């Protein structure tokens, strides 16, 4: 990251890069899809803060850490961590969307769910203006035999290959994949059998006015290989167990 700063680029939040009022150039936006581990995201957020980097963290509403009260608001311990990242470390918080799960698993309207969730989080002091879609582990099952549909108009938020929702209705400013950029890098990519990392970027070849987005998943960057595999296995198991419990609870309720 220091190489980027020395090359004359500034780190900005995705909200800033997505702003239509001013086209920013010579900027890099660090986008982090938090997925299953909020603690790993907190560690990364602290490291970025310590070197003067502001980034954007998308928290996953179907993850185990995303604990809510009966009224839908975040529980105090979860809210404390999220607000610390936002208010003390200076990062942007967005929502990582798993709406296929909401629509097909819970049979709820994803647009209504998302709007309600955004409003509740805002009432708790979380400044949410952007979202990014999540690759649900059951997405291919959900999509099977389901026709694709899109809402009309140009201001849409891409949720998955099944449906698009309206940004204006949701009172959101942007969807992460729709933000205009010149270069895009992701640690979900593998080159020569190895996961892409920031040091692989050839910063010296970037145009001075480039707009660059770098996507990472904090869970991929544990301190050691053993911790990485242990954490991923643990959180994947917890994630699958949560799905199964929800499924059984729903089936149990439908039989009453």
């Amino acid at each position: 990251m220091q190489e980027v700063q020395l090359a004359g680029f500034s780190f900005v939040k995705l909200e800033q890069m997505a702003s239509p009022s001013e086209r920013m150039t010579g900027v890099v936006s660090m986008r982090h899809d938090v997925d299953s581990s909020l603690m790993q995201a907190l560690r990364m957020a602290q490291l970025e803060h310590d070197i003067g980097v502001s980034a954007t963290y998308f928290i996953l509403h179907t993850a185990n850490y995303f604990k809510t009260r009966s009224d839908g608001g975040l529980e105090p311990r979860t809210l404390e961590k999220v607000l610390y990242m936002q208010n003390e470390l200076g990062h942007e918080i967005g929502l990582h969307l798993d709406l296929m799960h909401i629509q097909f698993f819970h049979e709820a309207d994803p647009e209504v769910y998302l709007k309600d969730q955004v409003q509740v989080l805002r009432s708790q002091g979380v400044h949410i203006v952007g979202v990014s879609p999540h690759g649900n582990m059951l997405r291919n099952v959900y999509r099977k035999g389901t026709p694709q549909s899109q809402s009309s108009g140009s201001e849409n938020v891409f949720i998955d290959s099944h449906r698009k929702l309206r940004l204006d209705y949701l009172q959101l400013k942007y969807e992460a994949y729709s933000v205009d950029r010149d270069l895009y890098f992701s640690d979900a990519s593998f080159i020569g059998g190895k996961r892409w990392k920031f040091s692989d970027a050839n910063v010296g070849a970037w145009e001075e006015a480039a707009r660059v987005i770098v996507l990472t998943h904090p869970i991929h960057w544990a301190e050691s290989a053993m911790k990485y595999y242990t954490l991923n296995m643990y959180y994947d198991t917890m994630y699958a167990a949560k799905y199964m419990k929800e499924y059984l609870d729903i089936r149990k309720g439908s039989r009453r």
Side-chain angles (χ1 to χ4, degrees):
M1 288 187 179
Q2 290 178 329
E3 182 183 359
V4 173
Q5 293 169 322
L6 290 173
F9 286 83
S10 299
F11 283 96
V12 298
K13 303 171 189 175
L14 209 54
E15 176 185 5
Q16 295 170 277
M17 186 179 283
S19 175
S21 60
E22 180 182 359
R23 178 179 169 80
M24 306 184 74
T25 59
V27 292
V28 178
S29 185
M30 298 297 299
R31 165 190 162 189
H32 304 296
D33 288 353
V34 175
D35 286 356
S36 54
S37 177
L38 186 58
M39 290 308 299
Q40 284 295 112
L42 277 168
R43 294 187 181 97
M44 183 172 285
Q46 186 67 60
L47 290 171
E48 286 178 324
H49 169 76
D50 291 345
I51 60 174
V53 171
S54 294
T56 301
Y57 286 81
F58 292 97
I59 54 177
L60 181 61
H61 59 91
T62 53
N64 290 83
Y65 63 77
F66 199 94
K67 299 182 183 299
T68 59
R69 307 176 316 215
S70 59
D71 63 358
L74 287 176
E75 288 185 346
R77 285 182 296 180
T78 307
L79 181 62
E80 180 182 12
K81 293 181 177 67
V82 171
L83 290 180
Y84 176 74
M85 293 170 66
Q86 174 184 276
N87 299 336
E88 302 301 322
L89 301 183
H91 300 300
E92 176 191 358
I93 302 296
L95 267 180
H96 199 28
L97 303 182
D98 193 4
L99 294 182
M100 291 191 80
H101 174 75
I102 299 300
Q103 180 174 354
F104 293 101
F105 204 80
H106 291 276
E107 298 183 346
D109 187 311
E111 198 165 40
V112 173
Y113 167 86
L114 178 54
K115 185 174 184 180
D116 290 344
Q117 189 67 73
V118 168
Q119 290 177 340
V120 170
L121 291 174
R122 284 175 177 167
S123 72
Q124 292 188 296
V126 186
H127 176 70
I128 292 180
V129 297
V131 294
S132 71
H134 175 61
N136 188 292
M137 65 170 67
L138 299 177
R139 61 189 180 278
N140 292 327
V141 176
Y142 292 147
R143 289 177 183 145
K144 186 176 181 181
T146 305
Q148 297 183 13
S149 63
Q150 298 181 8
S151 58
S152 60
S154 59
E155 292 298 320
N156 295 318
V157 50
F158 181 81
I159 303 304
D160 48 53
S161 62
H162 169 71
R163 185 174 178 182
K164 291 187 178 182
L165 307 181
R166 296 165 292 162
L167 281 174
D168 54 352
Y169 171 81
L170 297 167
Q171 298 180 350
L172 294 167
K173 293 183 179 180
Y174 72 90
E175 182 278 317
Y177 284 112
S178 68
V179 178
D180 179 47
R181 73 271 187 182
D182 300 304
L183 296 171
Y184 173 81
F185 302 98
S186 170
D187 68 355
S189 301
F190 284 81
I191 301 173
K194 295 183 178 180
R195 187 181 299 281
W196 182 92
K197 56 185 182 298
F198 204 105
S199 59
D200 292 334
N202 184 9
V203 178
W206 294 359
E207 296 290 338
E208 292 183 2
R211 292 161 56 88
V212 185
I213 294 178
V214 178
L215 166 62
T216 80
H217 302 74
I219 190 64
H220 293 162
W221 301 103
E223 293 86 342
S224 66
M226 180 176 290
K227 186 173 182 179
Y228 165 76
Y229 287 111
T230 301
L231 284 174
N232 275 273
M233 182 177 294
Y234 170 77
Y235 286 119
D236 285 348
T237 301
M238 292 290 288
Y239 199 54
K242 180 177 180 177
Y243 272 120
M244 182 58 68
K245 181 179 184 303
E246 289 180 346
Y247 174 75
L248 293 175
D249 288 344
I250 291 170
R251 289 292 301 273
K252 182 179 179 181
S254 66
R255 290 195 295 266
R256 290 176 181 172

